[in-house]
Amino acid sequence: MGVTVFSAESVTTHIRSGDGIKTIITFLEHPKIEHRNYALRLTRVLSERFGEELASALRTSNKFVMLKDKVLDSQSRDGERSDAACILANLSLSENEVKTMLGTGFIKWIVSTLKGQHCSTNGRSSRSNSTMAGGLLGLLLHFCRSSDPQCLGVVKEHQVMTIFRDQLVFASTVRMKQLAALGLKYLSESGMSLAAAGDFDPSPPQGFCSSFFICTRALPAHSLCPIHATPCEEGSQL
C-alpha cells in the first residue's frame, strides 16, 4: 500500500512534536552511510513542511556550512548531494546568511553545474539529476530574492535569468518549471527596483525581456520594456 499524503503529514507532525527534528539532525554526519542517507531524506521532507523551524534547529547546531559542503563535495553520493541542496533551498534564510554562509561565489558553481548537467543529458534527466537541478534552482532563488547589490551584481554577471528562462522551456518536471518561473518573477521585481533607482541607461528594447513578448509591429527606438517599464539593454539580465 502506498504512503498517503495524510500518513506522511501525520509522521512529520509526530516527528516535530516529539522533538524529532533535533534527533534527526544528529544523524546528518553519521559515519554509517545508510543512517546518514535516511537522515538527509527525512530532513529534506521536513524542510518542505517546516522550513522555518528546521532552519532554526540547523542554525543552532551549526549545520548550514556542512550542508553546503555536502552539495559541493564531488566524492559524496548523488543522493546525499541532491538532498542537501534541496534542504538548503527550502530553508528560511536571512539575507545576511545568503550572502555570508552561501556566498555569492556559490552562484558561479550552481550555474556551471546546471549548464553541465543539461549538456551531459541532452535535456533528458534521471530522477536524481532532476532532484539536484531542482535543489540548485531553489538555491538560486535565495540570491534572486536578495536586495543586496553585490548579490544582484553576481546574478547579472552569471546570467542567471537565462538559466531560469531555459529551465522554463526545457525542464523535465513541473516543479522545476515552477521554480524557474519564480526566479524570473523575483528578477523582474529586482529589475523594476533598479529602474526606479535610475540604474538603467536608455537604449532600444532589444534585451532579454523582449523575448517574452511577440509584437506584430516594430517598436519605437526608445520603447519601454513591458516588464520593467524602462528600456532594457541587449543581453540585460535584470
Side-chain angles (χ1 to χ4, degrees):
M1 180 181 296
V3 178
T4 65
V5 173
F6 176 79
S7 60
E9 289 288 351
S10 177
V11 169
T12 54
T13 300
H14 280 297
I15 290 174
R16 181 190 186 193
S17 62
D19 213 21
I21 290 178
K22 291 181 181 178
T23 302
I24 291 169
I25 287 175
T26 63
F27 284 89
L28 290 175
E29 295 181 273
H30 199 281
K32 289 188 177 181
I33 294 175
E34 186 177 18
H35 292 352
R36 195 166 63 238
N37 283 344
Y38 282 133
L40 281 164
R41 289 178 195 173
L42 275 170
T43 304
R44 175 163 64 86
V45 172
L46 291 169
S47 72
E48 295 169 356
R49 293 166 169 80
F50 311 118
E52 194 166 326
E53 186 172 336
L54 180 62
S56 178
L58 290 168
R59 188 178 292 115
T60 301
S61 56
N62 297 313
K63 296 297 184 184
F64 283 162
V65 174
M66 180 277 292
L67 289 169
K68 179 187 173 183
D69 289 343
K70 178 68 69 176
V71 176
L72 293 170
D73 184 10
S74 60
Q75 301 303 311
S76 292
R77 296 188 173 193
D78 289 345
E80 290 187 35
R81 298 179 72 190
S82 60
D83 283 338
C86 290
I87 292 166
L88 285 173
N90 292 333
L91 295 180
S92 299
L93 301 179
S94 69
E95 191 160 306
N96 184 59
E97 285 170 335
V98 171
K99 185 177 179 180
T100 60
M101 185 274 293
L102 293 182
T104 54
F106 203 17
I107 296 174
K108 180 179 180 180
W109 182 88
I110 293 171
V111 169
S112 176
T113 301
L114 285 169
K115 287 181 177 178
Q117 197 176 74
H118 179 75
C119 291
S120 65
T121 58
N122 291 317
R124 295 184 299 273
S125 300
S126 66
R127 181 169 183 174
S128 61
N129 280 343
S130 293
T131 302
M132 182 62 161
L136 296 181
L137 288 175
L139 285 169
L140 287 179
L141 293 184
H142 283 309
F143 295 100
C144 295
R145 280 191 291 259
S146 173
S147 60
D148 180 77
Q150 182 182 358
C151 284
L152 293 176
V154 178
V155 164
K156 289 181 66 176
E157 177 186 353
H158 294 292
Q159 301 185 327
V160 171
M161 184 174 268
T162 302
I163 293 293
F164 288 134
R165 180 196 62 187
D166 290 346
Q167 292 292 334
L168 190 64
V169 175
F170 300 113
S172 59
T173 69
V174 172
R175 176 59 178 163
M176 288 169 63
K177 289 179 182 290
Q178 290 173 336
L179 292 170
L182 269 178
L184 292 173
K185 173 180 179 290
Y186 294 146
L187 290 180
S188 174
E189 291 169 351
S190 297
M192 287 188 286
S193 297
L194 290 175
D199 291 339
F200 279 109
D201 295 325
S203 59
Q206 299 174 346
F208 172 83
C209 296
S210 63
S211 64
F212 285 105
F213 300 88
I214 301 175
C215 297
T216 57
R217 57 183 176 82
L219 292 173
H222 294 288
S223 293
L224 302 182
C225 166
I227 289 180
H228 302 133
T230 188
C232 287
E233 297 179 357
E234 178 67 38
S236 175
Q237 288 294 308
L238 282 179

